[in-house]
């Protein structure tokens, strides 16, 4: 695997997740190392995001994540210090796989959106880079 200082936005990808379709509704099951290329250590979800607010605005050194719009939609702006991409998540059966070392911002949340995040490590503030200039230094 690339060092987090070397990763680019093109190492992040949108995965199509399994979908078990039924007339009474759908199920998307996710299993460690089968649908997700890391062991899940933590799950968290963002909700009740007021209109116009953005979240994120940081990078992670080691953390891998799969970001899913479990309900509604939002955009994820990913940035490696050189390239930027905007990924719109608007279906619960797509997930954005975030490699380590990528800056991200989450914005344009629809009303009622739920951002479900599967994460490869427990919460660790030392893994965050919260200052953009510090992030650019880290990547250079
Ligand atoms: P943060 O990751 O900065 O939120 P976002 O990227 O969505 O804007 O986290 C916000 C606060 O929540 C911060 O004080 C840390 C805390 N937090 C935890 O305690 N555990 C967690 O798993 C997460 C994601 C955040």
């Amino acid at each position: 695997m690339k060092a987090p200082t070397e990763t680019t936005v093109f190492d992040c990808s949108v995965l199509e997740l399994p979908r078990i379709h039924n007339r009474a509704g759908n199920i998307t099951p996710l299993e460690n190392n089968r649908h997700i290329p890391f062991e899940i250590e933590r799950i968290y979800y963002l909700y009740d995001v007021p209109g116009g607010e953005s979240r994120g605005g940081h990078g992670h050194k080691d953390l891998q994540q799969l970001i899913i719009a479990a309900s509604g939609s939002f955009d994820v702006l990913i940035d490696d210090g050189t390239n930027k991409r905007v990924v719109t998540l608007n279906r619960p059966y797509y997930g954005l796989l975030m490699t380590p070392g990528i800056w991200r911002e989450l914005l344009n949340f629809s009303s009622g959106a739920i951002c479900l995040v599967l994460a490869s490590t427990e919460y660790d503030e030392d893994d965050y880079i919260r200052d953009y200039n510090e992030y650019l230094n880290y990547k250079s």
Side-chain angles (χ1 to χ4, degrees):
M1 203 198 276
K2 280 185 187 172
T5 50
E6 303 290 322
T7 53
T8 78
V9 295
F10 304 108
D11 297 315
C12 299
S13 52
V14 175
L15 305 184
E16 185 165 356
L17 306 172
R19 189 165 31 140
I20 301 165
H21 181 70
N22 186 294
R23 64 172 178 76
N26 301 327
I27 298 178
T28 290
L30 299 171
E31 296 178 14
N32 275 336
N33 298 317
R34 181 165 170 210
H35 308 109
I36 302 169
F38 56 80
E39 294 275 344
I40 300 164
E41 282 290 329
R42 175 170 52 121
I43 295 174
Y44 63 91
Y45 38 100
L46 285 168
Y47 52 97
D48 288 348
V49 179
E53 282 294 342
S54 62
R55 304 287 311 216
H58 59 250
H60 284 284
K61 295 176 210 161
D62 289 319
L63 184 70
Q64 298 176 73
Q65 293 167 302
L66 187 72
I67 303 178
I68 299 166
S71 187
S73 64
F74 51 86
D75 292 334
V76 189
L77 171 66
I78 54 178
D79 178 350
D80 58 30
T82 305
N83 313 287
K84 292 183 204 281
R85 282 172 67 196
V86 176
V87 176
T88 298
L89 293 175
N90 56 12
R91 294 281 184 271
Y93 50 87
Y94 286 110
L96 173 60
L97 183 65
M98 294 289 300
T99 55
I102 304 296
W103 186 269
R104 88 289 312 277
E105 289 171 36
L106 281 70
L107 59 167
N108 298 329
F109 284 85
S110 68
S111 169
I114 299 175
C115 170
L116 173 64
V117 182
L118 313 183
S120 65
T121 69
E122 293 175 356
Y123 173 74
D124 176 10
E125 187 57 38
D126 291 342
D127 190 61
Y128 281 75
I129 304 173
R130 292 191 181 274
D131 180 84
Y132 190 65
N133 286 325
E134 193 186 319
Y135 174 75
L136 293 177
N137 283 337
Y138 176 76
K139 293 297 271 190
S140 64

